[in-house]
Amino acid sequence: MSAPINNPEPSWYVIQCKGGESFRAAENLGNQDFDVFHPVLNTKRKRNGKLTNVCEPLFPHYLFIRLDQIASNWRPIRSTRGVLRLLTFGDTPVPVSDALIETLKQQPHKQEGIHSYFTPGQKVTITEGPFKNLEAVFKSAKGEERAIVLINMLQRPQQIVMSVDQLDKA
């Protein structure tokens, strides 16, 4: 792994991480005093039948590192736990523009809620309660924990408000 040529200023580069180890790589590189940027997204995912908040990488398997071609010691990067390799073009690491990194840092990586897990008109299955195993249509969210769904009863759609935990994608 060689340092980039003709770049006297520190630049951002992309590190490819081993599968599912971008958080470990970011932590280990940070412990070695590297300037690391690992954009994450707080979102909701269904786990064990419940919607839970999870923190996921914005770019799975990738993170950014700021390096100086003269002052930075590039050698420990490739042996850092969680790191697969520094992305290169041939043998030369390719810098990422500072403007792109600044744009990413300024973006509000908003927390996704039920509104992004289910979309209006999406078919869902009810997993608990008196309507268990019935198919419904997600109409809208009612707060973060409740949802309005449409169930076909008596030859017409009926609106029912229920807990999000009782729904699953059909």
Side-chain angles (χ1 to χ4, degrees):
M1 180 179 332
S2 61
I5 302 170
N6 299 328
N7 192 3
E9 294 295 316
S11 295
W12 287 100
Y13 298 92
V14 180
I15 292 210
Q16 184 178 11
C17 303
K18 295 176 182 173
E21 295 194 23
S22 60
F23 288 101
R24 172 184 277 174
E27 180 182 355
N28 289 327
L29 289 166
N31 290 341
Q32 297 173 58
D33 293 325
F34 284 107
D35 186 4
V36 176
F37 175 53
H38 187 225
V40 294
L41 178 66
N42 292 316
T43 187
K44 288 195 181 235
R45 294 282 182 246
K46 200 147 197 181
R47 300 250 166 97
N48 299 326
K50 302 270 184 200
L51 274 181
T52 57
N53 291 322
V54 293
C55 185
E56 297 179 341
L58 188 59
F59 303 107
H61 308 291
Y62 296 95
L63 55 87
F64 301 95
I65 187 168
R66 190 164 179 83
L67 298 168
D68 183 303
Q69 78 175 45
I70 298 169
S72 297
N73 182 1
W74 296 56
R75 292 193 189 282
I77 295 171
R78 64 178 163 212
S79 61
T80 299
R81 289 187 71 177
V83 171
L84 186 60
R85 65 188 178 106
L86 189 67
L87 286 188
T88 61
F89 187 70
D91 288 336
T92 307
V94 181
V96 176
S97 83
D98 288 343
L100 173 65
I101 299 298
E102 284 307 311
T103 301
L104 287 171
K105 284 183 175 182
Q106 292 172 5
Q107 291 300 313
H109 301 297
K110 66 178 188 293
Q111 181 168 334
E112 295 180 24
I114 179 179
H115 315 289
S116 61
Y117 188 76
F118 296 112
T119 57
Q122 178 181 13
K123 289 187 178 187
V124 294
T125 302
I126 300 172
T127 59
E128 297 175 21
F131 302 109
K132 184 176 181 175
N133 297 327
L134 285 181
E135 198 169 89
V137 175
F138 179 81
K139 182 178 179 193
S140 64
K142 186 172 183 177
E144 283 295 310
E145 302 296 322
R146 315 277 300 154
I148 300 172
V149 296
L150 300 173
I151 296 178
N152 232 353
M153 287 192 313
L154 304 174
Q155 308 301 329
R156 51 181 267 188
Q158 302 290 325
Q159 285 190 39
I160 297 178
V161 178
M162 57 185 7
S163 172
V164 177
D165 294 339
Q166 295 177 308
L167 301 176
D168 203 0
K169 293 180 179 177

